[in-house]
Amino acid sequence: MRYLCMDVGGTSIKYGIGYKTGKLSCLGKTSFGTTLDDFLDTVKELYERIGPTDGVAACFPGEVHSEEGVIRGISAVEQLHNHPIRSLISDLCGCPVTMLNDANAAALGELWQGVGKQYKNIAFVIVGTGVGGAVIENGRLYPGSTCNKAEIGNFLMGGTEEGRYLTWSDFTLEHQAQKYSAKTGNKVNGQQLYQLSEEGQKEAAFFVEEFLHYMAVGCVSVAFAYDPQIIDVGGGISQNPDIIRRINETYENLVKGQRMGYLKPKIVACQQKNHANLLGALYYFLTGGEQDEI
């Protein structure tokens, strides 16, 4: 049996074919437009290209109500909010569909095939366009009473912009790249911004240092909020060991000599890197959301 696994982001879908063993194949990425119909057209085209499967295991940003099949809250896919997404996808593909929050999916993926083999109390920081979070406590995922537990991207970071409070999600590497692009006229993405910084470009280095600072500030809040054994970082930045090293260094420098300096959990990259979300979506499908052993 094989399953279409989808990790839906703000403008694109990462996908692959998943199997009960945890193996993934046919990995890829495709973009979609700005409307619900754009998204559904892309899913239909993707499913037809992949071929028949025994189900669709999907994850999304935001307040994902898995049983109801609806997304609410704050996310990068607001065009999908308050629509019966699960039913719409099921009707398109003609098979069962499950859906959950992307950070929760990453947590389940790591619990199944990653750091969960060593630790049972883990805080996840998933960094993409925004910041998502999830917490594993005593080996289980708890999404909270309103599906908002560990929505750490909404942690306030101080300051306002056009009357809106700035949050952790405002300082991701992708958002820093957008700020750099607006200031310099040189359009770059987060990966390119980091490369420019490594090459000694001072303007790029400023925005990267600001990103690292707020990653450290956020991790301090996570450490005290959830007291995890480790903080597991996922998303695109997890593929760059140098970024993880610098986040650890920035954390150390931030708390040095400060009252909160005694709490220093190890910050590590997700073992499954950018595939953790797909694996977690698959795990959720296979277990029916019960978090049982497969």
Side-chain angles (χ1 to χ4, degrees):
M1 300 180 79
R2 62 189 212 137
Y3 309 90
L4 172 60
C5 303
M6 300 194 305
D7 174 17
V8 181
T11 59
S12 63
I13 301 172
K14 295 171 187 171
Y15 62 87
I17 296 298
Y19 302 87
K20 191 174 181 179
T21 59
K23 177 186 175 183
L24 295 171
S25 66
C26 302
L27 294 165
K29 182 177 179 179
T30 186
S31 61
F32 61 90
T34 58
T35 70
L36 172 63
D37 286 340
D38 290 335
F39 169 74
L40 294 174
D41 287 344
T42 302
V43 171
K44 183 178 180 180
E45 187 277 330
L46 175 60
Y47 189 82
E48 290 174 348
R49 175 154 38 99
I50 289 292
T53 69
D54 297 287
V56 176
C59 63
F60 300 81
E63 181 186 311
V64 180
H65 294 260
S66 300
E67 292 186 8
E68 189 179 352
V70 174
I71 305 170
R72 300 190 178 95
I74 301 169
S75 84
V77 289
E78 291 192 358
Q79 71 271 36
L80 307 185
H81 287 199
N82 301 310
H83 295 286
I85 296 298
R86 187 180 63 190
S87 295
L88 291 171
I89 295 174
S90 182
D91 290 344
L92 275 178
C93 302
C95 62
V97 176
T98 58
M99 56 186 284
L100 76 163
N101 170 269
D102 53 1
N104 288 343
L108 288 178
E110 283 289 287
L111 184 65
W112 181 29
Q113 298 284 344
V115 295
K117 297 177 185 283
Q118 299 172 265
Y119 304 98
K120 296 303 176 187
N121 294 288
I122 313 162
F124 292 87
V125 177
I126 312 301
V127 186
T129 304
V131 177
V135 177
I136 297 292
E137 296 175 342
N138 297 318
R140 293 185 69 83
L141 172 70
Y142 294 94
S145 58
T146 65
C147 301
N148 278 292
K149 184 169 184 176
E151 282 291 342
I152 58 178
N154 295 317
F155 281 4
L156 299 180
M157 291 288 145
T160 61
E161 185 177 84
E162 298 179 351
R164 182 180 65 84
Y165 289 106
L166 294 172
T167 67
W168 193 351
S169 285
D170 290 308
F171 295 96
T172 63
L173 201 55
E174 290 302 323
H175 274 125
Q176 295 300 92
Q178 292 171 16
K179 296 171 193 175
Y180 171 87
S181 299
K183 186 170 184 178
T184 65
N186 178 22
K187 187 172 177 58
V188 299
N189 59 31
Q191 184 177 2
Q192 292 164 335
L193 177 70
Y194 193 81
Q195 183 60 41
L196 287 172
S197 174
E198 291 292 278
E199 293 170 359
Q201 218 267 22
K202 290 184 179 180
E203 197 70 51
F206 168 82
F207 286 105
V208 169
E209 290 293 336
E210 189 175 54
F211 155 74
L212 293 168
H213 170 77
Y214 284 105
M215 281 296 298
V217 170
C219 285
V220 169
S221 297
V222 166
F224 278 93
Y226 305 113
D227 195 18
Q229 293 169 282
I230 61 168
I231 295 176
D232 202 12
V233 178
I237 67 171
S238 66
Q239 300 184 78
N240 188 331
D242 191 58
I243 291 180
I244 303 301
R245 175 188 63 79
R246 292 182 67 184
I247 292 171
N248 273 288
E249 288 180 355
T250 306
Y251 186 111
E252 290 280 345
N253 292 332
L254 182 69
V255 303
K256 188 179 297 182
Q258 302 295 322
R259 287 190 303 168
M260 69 281 198
Y262 68 90
L263 189 58
K264 300 176 184 176
K266 187 176 181 182
I267 302 170
V268 303
C270 283
Q271 289 183 7
Q272 293 298 329
K273 308 298 183 188
N274 233 4
H275 297 157
N277 294 30
L278 295 175
L279 285 168
L282 174 61
Y283 180 88
Y284 187 83
F285 186 100
L286 294 173
T287 62
E290 294 300 321
Q291 300 181 44
D292 296 324
E293 292 292 333
I294 297 175

